[in-house]
Amino acid sequence: MTTIVSGSASQTLAAALARELEEPLAPVKYDRFPDGELLAGVPDFDDDRAIVVASTVSSDAHLELLQLQDAVREAGAEEVVTVLPYMGYGRQDAAFEAGHPVSARAVARAVSTSTDRVLTVNPHEKAVCEFFEPTATPVDAAGRLADPLPADLEDPVFLSPDAGAIELAETVRDAYGDGETDYFEKTRHSGTEVEITPSDVDVAGRDVVVTDDIIATGSTMSEAVGVLRDRGVGRVFVTCVHPLLARNAVTKLSRAGVEAIYGTDTIERGASAVSVAPALAAEL
Ligand code: R5P
C-alpha cells in the first residue's frame, strides 16, 4: 500500500495528490525543540511505499524533508518516492564565482540519500535533475497556467521576460489556443535589480500574458510590466509555475498595474490558482 506524506509547506498539494491517486494521507507531526531544531515524524506509519511531497521553500523545509524520508524508512517503508514540487536552491546550479558551492548539487545529493525516485516540477534548468541519484524526473505543469486566464483576451501576446522562458510562454499560448509569442531580454544586476530590454512586438491595445518559471522578488516581472505600460498595453496578466512571491513582490506587481497574478500550488500562496496534482499523478 502507498501513503502520501506531506511536508508542512505542501499540505494542500499533498492532499490534492492523495485525492488524485485515491491513496491515504499519513498523519504527520511537525515539532520544534526549544533550541530551534526541527522534529518532523510519521506516527503510526506502516506502509510499504511512501510518497513524500515537500517543496523545499526554505532551509527548514529542506531539513524537514530529510527527516520525513528518514522517518518513513525507519518505520519500514521499502520504497520512498520524493516529490519536490518546487526545488529550492535549484537556481544555484553552478559555482558562479570562485569558491562558491554548486548548491543545487549539494541539496540534490542530500535528498538522494534516502529515496528511490525523485520527481520535480518545472525545474529552473532540466540539467539539475542529473544532480540526483537516480536522475530526477522533471514534470511539466505549465500547460495548466492557461486555465485561469479570461476567455476574452484581446489579440493576446504571450511574452517571457527572457529567452530562457520562451518555451513556457509558448506552452501557455498553445494551451490557451490563440495568440502571438515573443520574449524580452533580461540583464540581472543584483538579486533585486534587473533591466528588461523590450522586443519589437507591438503591444498597443493588446492584452499581454507574461510567463516565467519563478516569480521571486517580482523584480523581473514588474520591470517587464513597466516596459509594456510605456507601450500602451491593454491588460497585463502574469503567470508562473512557482509563485515564491518573496518580500513585497505582490505589492510591487500590483503597483506595476497587473490585472492578476496566477501560479501553481508547487508553492502555496494566494496566487496558487492551478494545481499540479494531476500532472504529478500522471507520472506516479
Ligand atoms: C531566473 O532566471 C528565473 O527564471 C526568474 O526570472 C527569476 O527567478 C525571477 O526572480 P525575481 O522575481 O526576483 O526577479
Side-chain angles (χ1 to χ4, degrees):
M1 204 174 126
T2 298
T3 297
I4 313 296
V5 178
S6 174
S8 59
S10 299
Q11 296 179 58
T12 305
L13 174 55
L17 186 60
R19 283 194 298 276
E20 283 287 328
L21 294 173
E22 298 184 358
E23 300 286 5
L25 263 181
V28 186
K29 286 190 82 173
Y30 314 111
D31 285 328
R32 188 182 286 277
F33 289 101
D35 62 1
E37 288 187 352
L38 298 173
L39 177 61
V42 282
D44 306 326
F45 184 91
D46 65 355
D47 289 320
D48 303 333
R49 183 171 183 252
I51 300 177
V52 184
V53 182
S55 281
T56 47
V57 287
S58 65
S59 301
D60 276 358
H62 271 283
L63 206 290
E64 189 187 87
L65 168 60
L66 300 183
Q67 289 184 325
L68 290 173
Q69 290 173 318
D70 202 70
V72 293
R73 283 269 192 235
E74 188 66 19
E78 283 168 18
E79 186 186 356
V80 179
V81 178
T82 300
V83 175
L84 282 173
Y86 170 72
M87 178 191 173
Y89 289 87
R91 288 175 288 174
Q92 294 187 43
D93 56 355
F96 295 107
E97 288 181 32
H100 280 195
V102 182
S103 300
R105 183 179 61 200
V107 298
R109 282 178 176 164
V111 169
S112 298
T113 55
S114 202
T115 195
D116 299 287
R117 189 178 174 207
V118 177
L119 280 75
T120 189
V121 179
N122 292 90
H124 180 59
E125 294 289 346
K126 276 198 188 130
V128 298
C129 291
E130 284 159 32
F131 291 144
F132 293 88
E133 176 55 49
T135 298
T137 305
V139 175
D140 187 3
R144 301 293 301 273
L145 287 174
D147 292 358
L149 294 171
D152 64 347
L153 290 180
E154 181 66 34
D155 195 10
V157 186
F158 292 81
L159 277 174
S160 61
D162 58 30
I166 184 62
E167 275 181 34
L168 284 175
E170 286 169 354
T171 300
V172 178
R173 188 275 313 272
D174 292 349
Y176 187 75
D178 175 35
E180 193 178 348
T181 59
D182 205 347
Y183 61 92
F184 287 170
E185 298 288 347
K186 176 169 88 175
T187 310
R188 181 172 286 284
H189 298 298
S190 73
T192 53
E193 279 175 84
V194 295
E195 190 180 325
I196 295 288
T197 311
S199 66
D200 293 334
V201 66
D202 180 11
V203 294
R206 302 171 77 180
D207 289 341
V208 172
V209 179
V210 194
T211 301
D212 207 349
D213 59 338
I214 301 168
I215 302 177
T217 64
S219 306
T220 301
M221 281 296 194
S222 53
E223 284 298 314
V225 174
V227 165
L228 292 166
R229 286 258 160 263
D230 290 345
R231 296 172 166 231
V233 70
R235 294 176 294 175
V236 182
F237 298 85
V238 299
T239 64
C240 67
V241 179
H242 307 295
L244 256 179
L245 298 172
R247 300 183 191 160
N248 59 349
V250 172
T251 302
K252 212 186 266 184
L253 289 167
S254 303
R255 282 176 53 80
V258 303
E259 198 78 14
I261 308 165
Y262 297 124
T264 79
D265 54 2
T266 61
I267 300 175
E268 298 180 358
R269 298 280 190 263
S272 303
V274 171
S275 182
V276 301
L280 286 170
E283 284 290 339
L284 288 161

